[in-house]
Amino acid sequence: MSAAPQASAMREYLLGLQARIMGALQAIEDDGEGGARVLVDPWRKGADELLQGDGITQIIEGGRVFERAGCGFSHVRGPRLPPSATQHRPELAGAPFEAMGVSLVFHPRNPYVPTVHMNVRMIAAGHPRQEPVCWFGGGMDLTPYYGFDADVVHFHQTCKTALAPFGDDKYPRFKRWCDEYFRLKHRGEQRGVGGVFFDDFSELGLARSMAMTQAVGDAFLPAYLPIVEKHQGAPYGERERDFQLYRRGRYVEFNLVWDRGTHFGLQSGGRTESILLSMPPLASWAYQRTPEEGSPEARLAEHFLVPRDWV
């Protein structure tokens, strides 16, 4: 099964996107002593495995700026869609599928630099002797530990600008979708300050839907790098580090309990090491921890972890 004539072009775009993003991170790491190198780990799944296909995992660990920054490309095929991918498309339950995408999560060392997630993907599926159905998904979202209004406004404005050519409704709609999706339902709190998120998207037709997905991918570096550059040298101490690790625990909870991408990868027989590259190298949990009233830690929950219109 071939997804579409555009599948080859999408693959080349995704490989280029991964290279651009990790090249930018390497430049940041190289701009000072103690910078880490990007590890490039190509992989392939053989005919005897549940999924067939290939990918490249690129990751920085123990870096000067990024404690852990993983960006994975994958292009796989499987005999049947997993349940996480068919809850909105029951007619495709059990259908063979093809999926490709780039997914990243960056965990900076400095608590004043936010964690960030971005993903863009294309999926095609269809039963034998049927034309494959293609759809897209993706988005990006920001998870600060110490929030700054200007950073959040910049991040959201960049997302809004990227989506503007595809309709005035896209940013507000995808922004709401992001707020609803990246929510820890078991705790009744947001994971971060949001961004944009979309899934099962094909309403603009194949070419325009793909172009919109690529526009989101292209907007990632302009949305995130200025925030890194602004705060990477900020002084911090044990208090800020402790709070960062505590909030990282919430990130782990979301990714393992609620994230459809994690579930899709594990249910479909994906490469576990690549699927879990989103995990931070260190995280912590505390029983009924309550921040001091009026503190920056309290302000995160009161001001930033509340869905609001930022632009």
Side-chain angles (χ1 to χ4, degrees):
M1 181 185 70
S2 176
Q6 285 88 345
S8 177
M10 186 65 174
R11 178 185 170 96
E12 291 305 308
Y13 167 77
L14 291 169
L15 285 167
L17 178 65
Q18 182 190 40
R20 278 188 282 139
I21 290 172
M22 295 308 290
L25 263 63
Q26 187 66 75
I28 293 173
E29 286 289 320
D30 289 343
D31 189 24
E33 295 184 7
R37 304 300 299 175
V38 175
L39 170 67
V40 180
D41 181 21
W43 53 267
R44 180 173 294 276
K45 299 186 75 67
D48 59 334
E49 299 187 66
L50 184 59
L51 290 181
Q52 291 76 51
D54 66 298
I56 303 172
T57 297
Q58 297 196 32
I59 190 165
I60 290 173
E61 291 196 288
R64 182 181 67 86
V65 177
F66 296 99
E67 193 169 7
R68 191 167 207 241
C71 180
F73 162 79
S74 64
H75 184 186
V76 296
R77 298 169 181 83
R80 62 186 61 84
L81 277 168
S84 59
T86 59
Q87 56 182 309
H88 300 302
R89 296 177 182 270
E91 74 279 5
L92 293 175
F97 72 94
E98 179 176 2
M100 65 180 81
V102 161
S103 182
L104 65 83
V105 175
F106 297 162
H107 293 288
R109 185 175 297 279
N110 192 311
Y112 288 102
V113 182
T115 285
V116 72
H117 158 258
M118 191 276 289
N119 172 271
V120 284
R121 58 192 178 273
M122 174 182 179
I123 301 176
H127 292 285
R129 295 179 297 279
Q130 290 182 345
E131 189 71 20
V133 177
C134 301
W135 65 95
F136 298 84
M140 65 179 99
D141 64 285
L142 198 67
T143 305
Y145 307 99
Y146 292 90
F148 299 89
D149 283 32
D151 295 345
V152 185
V153 170
H154 166 78
F155 191 84
H156 276 269
Q157 184 61 60
T158 307
C159 292
K160 183 177 182 178
T161 300
L163 289 167
F166 303 94
D168 293 340
D169 66 309
K170 299 302 183 295
Y171 168 75
R173 178 175 151 201
F174 295 168
K175 191 267 184 193
R176 285 193 302 272
W177 202 340
C178 188
D179 288 338
E180 292 168 0
Y181 181 79
F182 290 105
R183 179 173 175 79
L184 286 83
K185 301 179 182 65
H186 60 291
R187 292 191 182 272
E189 68 180 38
Q190 300 301 118
R191 186 172 82 171
V193 296
V196 291
F197 175 81
F198 62 98
D199 203 1
D200 298 310
F201 188 88
S202 58
E203 65 192 57
L204 296 179
L206 182 57
R208 288 282 287 168
S209 296
M210 187 167 80
M212 187 193 78
T213 304
Q214 292 178 353
V216 171
D218 292 341
F220 171 72
L221 288 175
Y224 184 58
L225 287 192
I227 300 172
V228 176
E229 292 164 357
K230 185 189 301 184
H231 300 295
Q232 63 175 317
Y236 66 92
E238 184 177 341
R239 169 179 173 160
E240 290 85 359
R241 177 62 168 171
D242 179 65
F243 186 66
Q244 178 194 45
L245 298 186
Y246 165 68
R247 291 301 309 176
R248 279 182 180 176
R250 296 288 206 268
Y251 207 90
V252 172
E253 289 179 22
F254 179 87
N255 280 18
L256 295 181
V257 176
W258 299 108
D259 187 65
R260 284 180 62 192
T262 302
H263 297 168
F264 178 93
L266 296 176
Q267 291 171 359
S268 62
R271 186 172 184 261
T272 302
E273 199 71 10
S274 297
I275 296 165
L276 297 181
L277 62 75
S278 64
M279 296 296 111
L282 294 171
S284 67
W285 283 261
Y287 184 73
Q288 294 185 343
R289 176 169 176 164
T290 303
E292 180 184 350
E293 186 176 350
S295 66
E297 293 81 9
R299 180 169 166 78
L300 178 73
E302 295 165 359
H303 181 71
F304 291 98
L305 301 185
V306 179
R308 65 176 68 240
D309 292 331
W310 290 101
V311 294

